[in-house]
Amino acid sequence: SSGINAEYGGTQLMYATVVLDLDKLNKALQATMKQLQLHCKTHLGSETLAAIQVKAESMEAAEQLVKEANQLIKLKHEKSTKFVAELTSLLIQVERLSTNKNPCSMPILNESIRNLRSIVHPSNLHSFQDNIEVPLAHIQARLKQEFLINPD
């Protein structure tokens, strides 16, 4: 009986130690996160923040367009609706990037392409590459040239 109590007490002590260690780790992570957020706010330029905002606004506009269009065409699969919204958002981003000429938008545009690619079924990847990625790569190359020639 005393062996069981000793083992039980040892387990409680070990559990309490783990909980305290996790609490210390959590506090350290929170402090690090605050420092990271401050660093990002300080070092992310207004152009990068504007590019992030363009992405969010583009997605919002695309979702609204798809919602309105879906009343007519009635896409039945959620993945199809999501793909159309992501593709529409990507096209809006490209249009705004060509208008605003913000080079900080390029990495965000690449992220949008990766997000869109992740939705594509593996059997459709080749078609996605040929019909979306390759033309977008040409557009990006042209935009990069414009940024270098006319940095505004």
Side-chain angles (χ1 to χ4, degrees):
S1 167
S2 67
I4 292 173
N5 287 337
E7 185 177 319
Y8 181 69
T11 303
Q12 281 183 323
L13 179 61
M14 187 171 58
Y15 178 76
T17 303
V18 169
V19 169
L20 290 173
D21 288 345
L22 286 174
D23 185 56
K24 288 178 189 175
L25 180 61
N26 188 36
K27 287 178 182 175
L29 285 172
Q30 286 176 345
T32 302
M33 184 60 117
K34 285 180 183 178
Q35 290 175 341
L36 182 61
Q37 288 173 336
L38 179 62
H39 176 79
C40 287
K41 285 179 184 176
T42 304
H43 290 39
L44 278 181
S46 60
E47 288 184 345
T48 302
L49 293 174
I52 292 168
Q53 185 174 355
V54 164
K55 180 180 180 183
E57 290 171 356
S58 297
M59 192 62 202
E60 189 176 310
E63 287 172 345
Q64 183 62 34
L65 286 169
V66 169
K67 182 180 176 184
E68 291 170 9
N70 203 26
Q71 293 175 352
L72 299 172
I73 58 175
K74 309 260 189 250
L75 288 174
K76 292 178 175 58
H77 294 66
E78 186 179 325
K79 280 191 171 188
S80 297
T81 305
K82 183 175 180 177
F83 179 80
V84 171
E86 291 279 347
L87 180 58
T88 304
S89 173
L90 181 63
L91 295 173
I92 293 170
Q93 286 178 63
V94 169
E95 186 272 331
R96 290 186 179 171
L97 176 60
S98 66
T99 303
N100 299 342
K101 295 186 177 26
N102 179 355
C104 294
S105 295
M106 286 297 185
I108 293 168
L109 187 61
N110 289 330
E111 178 186 326
S112 295
I113 295 168
R114 283 191 303 276
N115 289 345
L116 187 59
R117 187 179 225 266
S118 72
I119 298 170
V120 175
H121 189 273
S123 65
N124 296 322
L125 279 178
H126 184 70
S127 179
F128 176 79
Q129 290 168 338
D130 290 346
N131 297 304
I132 296 174
E133 284 185 318
V134 170
L136 281 172
H138 291 293
I139 291 168
Q140 284 182 301
R142 178 70 180 141
L143 289 171
K144 285 177 186 175
Q145 282 181 333
E146 285 185 30
F147 295 152
L148 293 174
I149 295 169
N150 302 315
D152 290 341

